[in-house]
Amino acid sequence: MAKIIPEVSRTFNEYLLLPNRTRIECSTETVDLRTPLVRHVPGEAPAIELLSPFTSAIMQAVSSPELAIALARNGGLSFLHHNQPIEDQAAAVRQVKRFKAGFITSDTNVRPDDTLGHLVEVMRRTGHSTAAVTEDGTATGRLLGMVTSRDFHPQRHALDQPVSSRMTPIAELPHAGHEVSLSEANAQLWDQRLDCLPVVDEKGHLQHLVFRSDYTDNKRFPHQSVDANKRLRVGAGINTHDYQERIPALLEAGADLLCFDSSDGYSDWQRNALTWVKKHYPEIPVGGGNVVDGEGFNFLAEAGADFVKVGVGGGSICITRDQKGIGRGQASAVMDVAAARDEFRERTGEYVPICSDGGLVHDYHVALALAMGADFVMMGRYFARFDQAPGAKLPTRDGFVKEYWGEGSNRARNFQRYGQGDRLIFEEGVDGYVPYAGDLNEGLALTIAKIKATMVSCGSMTLPEFQATARLTLVSEQSFQESHANVSLRDTAATAV
């Protein structure tokens, strides 16, 4: 008969944190959320660390370049999905690496012979009042001039006139070379009393625009995840099928680290792939997963994984447990793997971080995952709700929603990931919607505020201290019900001014 594991498979909903003594110096302002991302020797700084313990899931519906930029600016990191042609994934990596805070890619562009009427329509569509006039009308064409809404008026100027009749030509336009830093660009904006400074390359092609209105941009994001060259960090997902062709292209594009993406990482295919990567590209960190116990962790750590993802079947979009009966409650999985990680550290002298992937329904679940030993978390549903995620925003009777579909759904067409040939015989994910949550910067700031407040109540100022001192209690059904408000709630929306 099968071996029975005596421990009950438990979820985050079954635990609460007990408060610890909060010292005077322990406040939300002093809490430090930095955490290691890759394998390192304890006591030495890891090659890559996060300033906030969040990564976004390796999913088409989640990790777009736009979301990767926003998350890295908030101290986290995205893994761009691999269910696309190699050249497309490499281009997405380049898009993130080329992003420069305060340097905007122009989205309002016209040609000099376009009419002012066309310019009015372009400005109406983008909502911007400054347009670049380039030779071919693209964001990277040779810059010929600039035109703003202050240069013409639809009621005073004939809309069939060419844009060139009202633009400021490049010869009269202050501009900067592509090597300019943001601080130098801002200084030029203020010294020359400019609203906008175009940045061009050595051939005169437009690269970026710098606006005076974005002067405070960097100050909004003091904890960005950046490399040695101050470029935002970004990861890339890979599979165990075409990794030998995909990895060189991703590294050439500038990917900071890689992660094998699999619903079940406890396999010889992933071990062999990890071994190959470590032989041919020993300098690039690469993660493995997913696993749910100590055996799986040791298997991947010994194969060379620089971090290990934990979780099978716990994602909000995942139906692996329904379909195959495979998985484990996420709380039990994280605690088991964390114990194995600590034993591996004692045995080998190397610390291999673990990532809790899935089962995170509420913000406080993130705090529980960290207290139970996770070094960082990976989330799909959470990030799919924001503007920066690629899913369409759709209106419903009850408000807006965002599209969200699993990699195991037919929509994703990620056949390789599930080893079912050239089509899915059965799905392991669903196609649905999540409530729209607005801008990532605001939503993540709220979640971080809650986690810091939780850590303060537990008397912890760092994540290692939180893990070492946190106390957990199991929750009965009655105490779970007691956790929620038990009064008739006032509807303030109807009376709000």
Side-chain angles (χ1 to χ4, degrees):
M1 63 173 286
K3 179 181 179 181
I4 305 297
I5 305 298
E7 293 83 7
V8 175
S9 179
R10 297 192 181 278
T11 69
F12 293 129
N13 269 340
E14 297 178 78
Y15 289 92
L16 285 174
L17 285 155
L18 299 181
N20 286 335
R21 173 192 167 195
T22 302
R23 306 180 303 280
I24 294 296
E25 64 271 20
C26 184
S27 69
T28 54
E29 289 75 24
T30 60
V31 169
D32 185 351
L33 292 179
R34 75 182 62 238
T35 190
L37 186 58
V38 298
R39 181 190 295 245
H40 63 283
V41 175
E44 297 181 5
I48 302 177
E49 67 177 3
L50 299 174
L51 295 183
S52 60
F54 298 92
T55 60
S56 64
I58 309 172
M59 299 175 67
Q60 300 167 56
V62 180
S63 292
S64 66
E66 293 77 14
L67 190 134
I69 289 168
L71 183 52
R73 300 192 78 190
N74 284 278
L77 184 135
S78 288
F79 289 90
L80 299 174
H81 77 88
H82 56 86
N83 191 16
Q84 58 183 318
I86 293 173
E87 58 270 21
D88 290 352
Q89 189 183 17
V93 170
R94 289 190 188 92
Q95 184 176 338
V96 179
K97 298 304 292 185
R98 289 173 178 171
F99 175 84
K100 297 169 72 176
F103 289 80
I104 307 302
T105 299
S106 177
D107 66 354
T108 308
N109 310 290
V110 291
R111 295 174 299 182
D113 55 352
D114 286 335
T115 66
L116 292 178
H118 174 72
L119 173 60
V120 170
E121 175 58 27
V122 171
M123 287 182 167
R124 184 199 64 77
R125 187 173 66 248
T126 64
H128 296 151
S129 59
T130 298
V133 185
T134 61
E135 193 171 53
D136 59 2
T138 69
T140 56
R142 190 165 68 88
L143 184 65
L144 302 179
M146 298 290 295
V147 61
T148 76
S149 59
R150 292 185 296 182
D151 294 320
F152 72 100
H153 194 286
Q155 275 74 51
R156 289 185 58 87
H157 301 95
L159 294 184
D160 58 357
Q161 290 186 56
V163 168
S164 58
S165 67
R166 302 305 305 171
M167 74 179 188
T168 302
I170 186 67
E172 304 172 15
L173 191 67
H175 55 279
H178 65 93
E179 73 285 349
V180 69
S181 68
L182 182 59
S183 60
E184 292 169 340
N186 281 324
Q188 190 169 344
L189 281 169
W190 288 98
D191 292 345
Q192 300 187 40
R193 302 179 183 180
L194 306 173
D195 291 322
C196 174
L197 180 70
V199 177
V200 298
D201 66 14
E202 62 278 1
K203 295 182 179 180
H205 288 84
L206 179 63
Q207 299 294 294
H208 299 100
L209 300 176
V210 182
F211 290 91
R212 185 192 295 205
S213 58
D214 289 333
Y215 177 70
T216 59
D217 184 77
N218 262 349
K219 294 179 173 59
R220 286 183 62 202
F221 303 101
H223 303 300
Q224 300 186 58
S225 293
V226 295
D227 61 21
N229 296 314
K230 303 300 182 183
R231 300 176 303 173
L232 295 180
R233 288 199 183 276
V234 63
I238 52 178
N239 59 50
T240 57
H241 299 274
D242 66 2
Y243 61 93
Q244 296 185 19
E245 295 78 36
R246 190 172 291 268
I247 289 175
L250 295 173
L251 298 186
E252 190 277 331
D256 293 284
L257 71 166
L258 308 170
C259 183
F260 279 105
D261 175 40
S262 173
S263 60
D264 175 15
Y266 194 2
S267 72
D268 289 350
W269 292 285
Q270 192 160 137
R271 178 191 59 192
N272 295 342
L274 281 165
T275 301
W276 184 90
V277 175
K278 286 303 173 184
K279 177 181 178 181
H280 292 88
Y281 300 98
E283 75 285 355
I284 187 70
V286 57
N290 284 21
V291 300
V292 296
D293 60 13
E295 287 185 13
F297 169 85
N298 284 316
F299 181 83
L300 295 179
E302 289 166 3
D306 290 294
F307 62 90
V308 174
K309 291 204 294 130
V310 182
V312 173
S316 63
I317 211 75
C318 183
I319 54 173
T320 293
R321 297 179 191 175
D322 290 338
Q323 296 284 52
K324 296 167 58 178
I326 295 290
R328 192 178 192 183
Q330 190 68 6
S332 295
V334 168
M335 288 188 285
D336 194 350
V337 174
R341 174 205 57 203
D342 294 345
E343 188 277 331
F344 185 87
R345 176 193 59 203
E346 296 300 318
R347 176 163 53 89
T348 67
E350 293 186 317
Y351 187 90
V352 178
I354 63 173
C355 167
S356 177
D357 176 16
L360 301 162
V361 179
H362 304 292
D363 286 348
Y364 81 89
H365 286 172
V366 177
L368 286 170
L370 297 171
M372 291 173 179
D375 296 282
F376 57 99
V377 300
M378 177 175 281
M379 297 186 288
R381 178 200 60 84
Y382 177 89
F383 288 113
R385 306 171 303 149
F386 295 125
D387 288 321
Q388 292 85 346
K393 176 184 172 184
L394 303 172
T396 71
R397 183 176 59 187
D398 299 319
F400 285 98
V401 296
K402 290 271 285 185
E403 291 182 319
Y404 182 41
W405 61 97
E407 289 301 304
S409 68
N410 276 314
R411 176 174 179 175
R413 299 180 64 80
N414 196 350
F415 308 135
Q416 290 181 331
R417 190 177 194 265
Y418 294 91
Q420 296 186 35
D422 59 359
R423 66 184 182 90
L424 285 182
I425 302 171
F426 61 90
E427 292 182 291
E428 293 189 41
V430 298
D431 183 359
Y433 306 94
V434 289
Y436 169 64
D439 181 65
L440 178 147
N441 300 302
E442 297 174 2
L444 186 57
L446 176 61
T447 299
I448 289 174
K450 291 180 183 179
I451 292 170
K452 286 185 174 182
T454 299
M455 291 175 60
V456 168
S457 292
C458 292
S460 302
M461 297 187 345
T462 67
L463 289 179
E465 182 183 15
F466 189 38
Q467 293 167 347
T469 63
R471 297 181 297 157
L472 295 161
T473 180
L474 281 168
V475 178
S476 70
E477 177 61 27
Q478 288 300 312
S479 59
F480 181 78
Q481 295 301 324
E482 188 182 56
S483 300
H484 309 297
N486 195 28
V487 297
S488 297
L489 299 180
R490 180 183 296 119
D491 182 5
T492 58
T495 58
V497 176

